[in-house]
């Protein structure tokens, strides 16, 4: 495995790769969720590139950019064991040159609602960094987690709209044995908050069972099940939404849940904001 910190050097080695290139962009502090994306790339592609870059532009002014957990040495061990070919760890000025005057933005319903309500500049930061990383790596396929479902849809849309010729592969949410969706931010949780946070996945599983049982279910009933569970465990709701998975437009509270849905949540336990969802396309 080769660690590369400079764009030009990465371009040089990747132009010599004979075969398909798979790419997994991350912000590091890796866990089994990230490694599942790496495993998928390893299984499907000849060469796997992982980036580690805590992207400042996707954090709002009062968010956790400085505090975001980092452990490069441990990440590199995990990636080496996973058989990664190249790890790209750029500095901020490699990605955003000082005279940068270009923004890549996805507009419309995908970047409204859900996380965009509390994080209005977040997805602009995501599309700016991912478009730059895609141009540097020029992969055939890139692998993203369904845990960040809105991000996955936005990246798919950006890639299609800009005709980048990169296949975006969405991968299932990897969970702790007790159900909590894995996240680098789980490290912020106190042991008590972590136990209380299980109410998120438990209530989502409960909702999934209710839907699968074939009962007629209103969107508002689904939201209430989750809200009651997380609030009675001390969680503070940022959002609990049921949206159409294609355009992320909200389903009306009084409408029946159909065959295709994204039930997405962002819930605070203490200061930690946790995402989870269930998706059927
Ligand atoms: P991050 O380092 O948080 O930016 O995440 C990098 C990639 O890993 C994104 O595509 C995430 O959606 C994905 N990811 C993060 N957590 C999980 C998880 N628990 N299961 C699957 N993918 C995940």
């Amino acid at each position: 495995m080769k660690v590369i910190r400079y764009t030009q050097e990465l371009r040089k080695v990747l132009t010599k790769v004979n075969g398909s290139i798979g790419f997994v962009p991350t912000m590091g502090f890796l866990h089994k969720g990230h490694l599942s994306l790496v495993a998928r790339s390893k299984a499907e592609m000849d060469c796997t590139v992982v980036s580690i870059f805590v992207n400042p532009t996707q954090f709002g002014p009062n968010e956790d950019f400085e505090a975001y957990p980092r452990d490069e040495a441990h990440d590199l061990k995990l990636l080496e064991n996973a058989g990664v070919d190249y790890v790209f760890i750029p500095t901020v000025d490699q990605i955003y040159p000082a005279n940068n005057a270009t923004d890549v933005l996805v507009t419309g319903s995908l970047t409204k609602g859900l996380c965009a309500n509390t994080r209005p500049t977040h997805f602009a930061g995501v599309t700016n960094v991912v478009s730059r990383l895609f141009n540097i790596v020029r992969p055939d396929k890139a692998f993203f987690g369904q845990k960040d479902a809105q991000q996955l849809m936005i990246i798919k849309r950006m890639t299609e709209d800009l005709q980048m010729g990169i296949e975006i592969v969405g991968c299932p949410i990897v969970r702790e044995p007790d159900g909590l969706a894995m996240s680098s931010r789980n490290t912020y949780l106190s042991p008590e908050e972590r136990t209380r946070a299980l109410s998120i996945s438990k209530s989502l599983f409960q909702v999934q069972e209710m839907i699968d049982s074939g009962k007629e279910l209103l969107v508002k009933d689904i939201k209430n099940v989750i809200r009651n569970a997380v609030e009675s465990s001390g969680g503070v709701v940022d959002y609990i939404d049921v949206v159409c998975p294609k355009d992320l437009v909200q389903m009306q509270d009084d409408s029946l849940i159909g065959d295709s849905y994204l039930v997405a949540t962002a819930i605070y336990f203490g200061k930690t904001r946790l995402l989870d969802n269930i998706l059927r396309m």
Side-chain angles (χ1 to χ4, degrees):
M1 183 176 84
K2 196 155 189 238
V3 179
I4 296 181
R5 295 175 195 273
Y6 296 96
T7 302
Q8 292 315 323
E9 190 189 347
L10 187 67
R11 283 293 328 132
K12 219 193 227 165
V13 294
L14 291 183
T15 47
K16 289 191 196 121
V17 168
N18 219 337
S20 59
I21 296 179
F23 179 41
V24 181
T26 81
M27 298 207 299
F29 210 70
L30 303 178
H31 50 67
K32 287 182 186 151
H34 298 109
L35 296 178
S36 73
L37 309 181
V38 171
R40 182 83 182 262
S41 175
K42 287 281 298 171
E44 293 184 17
M45 313 304 282
D46 298 314
C47 169
T48 293
V49 181
V50 175
S51 64
I52 299 176
F53 180 62
V54 185
N55 172 38
T57 66
Q58 72 189 68
F59 290 80
N62 298 315
E63 293 182 357
D64 57 343
F65 173 66
E66 295 295 342
Y68 195 83
R70 293 158 168 92
D71 189 345
E72 188 182 301
H74 187 241
D75 287 348
L76 291 178
K77 265 188 217 145
L78 293 176
L79 295 176
E80 175 107 61
N81 289 340
V84 165
D85 299 285
Y86 298 103
V87 186
F88 182 45
I89 312 183
T91 51
V92 173
D93 61 337
Q94 293 289 305
I95 300 298
Y96 300 106
N99 57 354
N100 173 61
T102 302
D103 260 341
V104 178
L105 299 176
V106 171
T107 59
S109 59
L110 293 181
T111 49
K112 297 198 172 70
L114 303 178
C115 287
N117 286 334
T118 29
R119 308 189 76 190
T121 58
H122 173 66
F123 290 115
V126 168
T127 45
N128 270 313
V129 75
V130 173
S131 57
R132 283 162 172 76
L133 290 168
F134 278 2
N135 278 338
I136 296 166
V137 176
R138 301 182 204 174
D140 299 286
K141 293 189 190 180
F143 300 83
F144 288 83
Q146 179 208 305
K147 187 175 85 71
D148 302 281
Q150 189 174 16
Q151 167 175 281
L152 171 61
M153 312 296 172
I154 291 169
I155 300 293
K156 270 191 179 156
R157 185 59 190 268
M158 174 190 80
T159 313
E160 280 168 29
D161 287 354
L162 296 179
Q163 303 181 51
M164 289 174 146
I166 300 167
E167 185 185 331
I168 305 303
V169 182
C171 303
I173 299 176
V174 176
R175 299 177 178 281
E176 300 286 355
D178 59 11
L180 185 71
M182 288 193 179
S183 164
S184 307
R185 289 189 169 98
N186 289 351
T187 187
Y188 296 149
L189 295 167
S190 71
E192 195 198 321
E193 286 166 347
R194 196 199 168 291
T195 305
R196 290 169 176 271
L198 291 177
S199 57
I200 307 172
S201 53
K202 277 199 183 132
S203 59
L204 285 171
F205 298 158
Q206 188 187 341
V207 159
Q208 185 74 74
E209 271 178 29
M210 287 163 69
I211 298 172
D212 291 345
S213 75
K215 257 192 275 173
E216 288 207 332
L217 269 177
L218 296 176
V219 163
K220 68 177 169 202
D221 298 334
I222 287 174
K223 291 183 182 174
N224 282 337
V225 167
I226 302 167
R227 181 175 289 274
N228 291 339
V230 297
E231 287 187 345
S232 63
S233 302
V236 173
V237 173
D238 177 5
Y239 65 78
I240 298 168
D241 278 326
V242 183
V243 300
C244 163
K246 295 202 174 66
D247 53 17
L248 304 185
V249 170
Q250 293 243 13
M251 294 181 191
Q252 296 298 313
D253 274 353
D254 282 319
S255 63
L256 287 171
I257 184 101
D259 293 336
S260 157
Y261 49 81
L262 170 65
V263 181
T265 63
I267 314 285
Y268 289 95
F269 279 87
K271 286 191 177 145
T272 311
R273 183 172 169 278
L274 301 173
L275 298 186
D276 203 344
N277 66 72
I278 51 176
L279 170 69
R280 188 157 299 161
M281 289 297 272

